[in-house]
Amino acid sequence: MARKQISENDRIRQVLVNKYNIKLTDLATKMGISYPVFSKKLNVGTLTTLKEIEKYTGISVIEMQNAPAGFFHYYDPDTGEWGGIWKKNS
């Protein structure tokens, strides 16, 4: 079964909500914008938006982006801490 391709904005939401338990409405408020404006920014997913999110959360811009083909995001199985982007074994 083929894996569903995760879009860039899905990856951003996945990291913020699922990995770090950040409420998007709370983050929007912290950033001083309404949730609808914040949601539109996520849908576009520009580097500027990612840098702004990084500023408020401390989450690396790279962690919020999809890994390139042949690579994956590594999370330590014991701590859950993000360990970077690793190359898949061939």
Side-chain angles (χ1 to χ4, degrees):
M1 175 182 236
R3 283 179 60 182
K4 176 186 172 248
Q5 212 40 15
I6 297 175
S7 70
E8 202 68 42
N9 62 344
D10 287 343
R11 172 71 192 169
I12 297 166
R13 285 179 170 85
Q14 181 183 49
V15 169
L16 294 173
V17 175
N18 297 339
K19 183 70 186 143
Y20 290 97
N21 297 316
I22 295 172
K23 291 183 179 179
L24 299 181
T25 52
D26 292 346
L27 182 55
T29 301
K30 192 175 189 182
M31 293 170 67
I33 57 177
S34 68
Y35 177 74
V37 170
F38 180 68
S39 184
K40 286 180 186 177
K41 285 179 168 243
L42 287 182
N43 289 339
V44 175
T46 65
L47 183 56
T48 302
T49 298
L50 293 177
K51 285 182 178 181
E52 193 174 355
I53 292 169
E54 180 181 48
K55 176 181 159 187
Y56 285 95
T57 64
I59 300 168
S60 169
V61 167
I62 296 170
E63 185 177 358
M64 292 184 278
Q65 295 180 39
N66 289 324
F71 292 82
F72 68 99
H73 286 275
Y74 172 77
Y75 290 91
D76 184 292
D78 296 325
T79 65
E81 186 175 319
W82 183 68
I85 295 177
W86 290 23
K87 187 173 183 173
K88 291 180 182 178
N89 293 333
S90 298

